[in-house]
Amino acid sequence: MQQPLNSTQHTLHWWSINPQQHKHSILFVHGGPGSHSHYFKNWVNQCQYFTRHFGWISYDQRGCGLSKPHDQYCHASNIDDFLLMLETFARNDVSISAIVAHSYGAKLVYDALLKKPDINKKIIFLGRSLRADIPAKRNFMMDMILMKLFQKEDYKSIMASTEFDVNDPASLWDIKQKFRATLKNRDIRSLFYWSNFEAMEKFETLKAQCTLSDSDDIFKAVVNSIHKDSTATPYYDVSKLKQQVLHIMGSHDFLMAGDVFQPTHHDNYTACVFSKSGHYPHFEEPTKFIETVHDSIKS
C-alpha cells in the first residue's frame, strides 16, 4: 500500500508492507536528514523474516523520497509532520504497536515525544548516541582520518589556515564543509558505518537500484536549524520519556560512538549492543534485530 498524506501545505508519501495481514504494524522513521524510507522498504521486501511477526509502515520526510518539495525544511517542521502522521494513522484505524527510529529519525522522535508526551507507543531507538554532539564530531573525525591517510598536504594546509572550535556547532560545521570540499576518498567512508560487509554490499546494491537519492540541501537546512536552536540540550535524557524505550546500538558504529555504548536497564529504558553491527543493526544482524524488537513489544 502506498498513499499520500495531504496537509494544507504539502504532501507526504507513506507506504505499508504487511503480507500476512498482522493486526499490528511498526512505524519506521528514517534517518538523514534528507534521506528517505525506500532503502528500508526495498530491504523489507527482500527479507521475508521482517514481516514474520508484524507489518511495517514508513513515510518520507518533507521534500524527501516521494514526498513533494516544500519551501521550508527544518527540524521543527519534521516534528510536526511526524505528529501529523500519527494522527492520520489513528483516524484511519491503522494500528501501530511500536515506532522504530533510526539515526536522525531517533532525534526526531525523541523531540516529538517531549512535545507530545502522551503518545502511547513502544519506542525503539536505533543507531543513535545519547550525546547530541557525537554525530557531527565523529563525522569530522572520519574526514580527518581519511585526509591524514590519503591527502596529507591538504590536511596540513587546512589545519594551518583555519581556526575552529569543535565544541561550537557552527564553527565545527564550517570546518567540516572545508574538509568535505577537499576530500577525495569519500567512497570509503562507508567502512566507518558497517561491520558486516555482506550486508553493506547488499545495501549498496539496493541503493544503486533505487531511483531516489538523498538530498544534501535538505540535510544542510535541517542540520542548520538544529544548530540554531537555543533550546537544544547536549544529552538526550530518556528519563523524561513516559514510553517504554528499547535502545539498540551496534558496537562498530563509529559515527555514533557505539564502541563506548553500554548495555543497561532501568525503569522504562533498556539499552542493548549488537556486537557484529555498525550503524545499521537492523540490516547487519536482521534476525537478532527482529527477535529483539518482537520480544520488546510482547513484554
Side-chain angles (χ1 to χ4, degrees):
M1 179 186 298
Q2 303 182 47
Q3 298 188 30
L5 168 68
N6 294 309
S7 75
T8 57
Q9 294 180 310
H10 62 289
T11 302
L12 299 179
H13 174 87
W14 68 275
W15 53 262
S16 67
I17 298 176
N18 191 2
Q20 298 187 41
Q21 298 298 304
H22 294 294
K23 182 179 179 181
H24 297 284
S25 291
I26 295 177
L27 173 62
F28 179 81
V29 182
H30 69 77
S35 189
H36 55 78
S37 65
H38 297 271
Y39 303 141
F40 180 74
K41 177 185 178 183
N42 294 340
W43 188 286
V44 173
N45 275 326
Q46 291 192 17
C47 185
Q48 295 182 0
Y49 194 75
F50 265 66
T51 55
R52 179 177 179 179
H53 302 297
F54 29 69
W56 288 92
I57 297 174
S58 190
Y59 72 99
D60 296 334
Q61 292 157 27
R62 65 168 60 188
C64 301
L66 295 176
S67 290
K68 289 188 177 180
H70 198 271
D71 58 2
Q72 180 182 12
Y73 299 107
C74 64
H75 181 61
S77 295
N78 283 343
I79 293 172
D80 292 339
D81 289 345
F82 167 75
L83 296 175
L84 178 61
M85 290 298 303
L86 291 184
E87 293 173 4
T88 301
F89 292 141
R91 285 198 305 268
N92 288 276
D93 296 321
V94 177
S95 180
I96 296 174
S97 56
I99 299 169
V100 171
H102 179 242
S103 195
Y104 164 72
K107 172 176 175 52
L108 194 166
V109 171
Y110 173 84
D111 289 342
L113 294 175
L114 293 182
K115 184 173 183 178
K116 192 173 182 181
D118 60 341
I119 293 174
N120 186 23
K121 310 289 182 188
K122 293 189 176 180
I123 306 299
I124 296 96
F125 291 144
L126 183 63
R128 184 73 202 191
S129 171
L130 289 178
R131 274 186 54 177
D133 62 341
I134 285 295
K137 289 181 177 179
R138 285 296 182 98
N139 254 309
F140 180 47
M141 286 179 65
M142 291 180 201
D143 290 345
M144 287 184 68
I145 290 170
L146 293 177
M147 290 278 280
K148 289 177 182 178
L149 287 173
F150 301 110
Q151 296 170 250
K152 188 175 180 180
E153 294 306 314
D154 288 334
Y155 169 82
K156 289 163 60 177
S157 176
I158 293 175
M159 295 296 282
S161 62
T162 308
E163 294 294 329
F164 61 92
D165 179 0
V166 295
N167 291 309
D168 177 353
S171 177
L172 180 58
W173 174 262
D174 289 341
I175 186 65
K176 282 170 59 182
Q177 299 315 301
K178 290 187 178 182
F179 271 82
R180 173 174 286 197
T182 308
L183 186 64
K184 299 176 182 178
N185 298 88
R186 292 191 60 80
D187 57 323
I188 62 175
R189 289 179 95 254
S190 58
L191 296 176
F192 290 101
Y193 288 79
W194 295 87
S195 172
N196 183 331
F197 277 14
E198 182 178 350
M200 181 182 76
E201 291 166 1
K202 180 178 178 179
F203 178 81
E204 291 299 331
T205 298
L206 289 175
K207 193 172 181 178
Q209 294 171 346
C210 185
T211 58
L212 302 170
S213 59
D214 299 342
S215 171
D216 278 344
D217 290 339
I218 294 177
F219 173 84
K220 292 177 181 178
V222 174
V223 170
N224 190 45
S225 73
I226 294 172
H227 289 167
K228 291 181 177 179
D229 182 5
S230 60
T231 65
T233 57
Y235 292 91
Y236 303 121
D237 186 356
V238 291
S239 67
K240 293 181 178 180
L241 302 181
K242 297 180 179 180
Q243 297 77 11
Q244 180 178 323
V245 177
L246 171 65
H247 192 171
I248 301 174
M249 286 283 285
S251 63
H252 297 264
D253 188 350
F254 185 86
L255 174 66
M256 294 291 175
D259 50 308
V260 297
F261 189 78
Q262 294 293 321
T264 187
H265 174 75
H266 54 81
D267 301 324
N268 62 326
Y269 176 76
T270 299
C272 61
V273 177
F274 283 21
S275 296
K276 295 184 178 181
S277 291
H279 191 53
Y280 302 92
H282 48 313
F283 295 154
E284 299 185 75
E285 297 181 76
T287 301
K288 182 176 181 179
F289 168 73
I290 292 298
E291 292 306 318
T292 301
V293 170
H294 185 226
D295 290 344
S296 176
I297 293 174
K298 288 192 305 180
S299 63

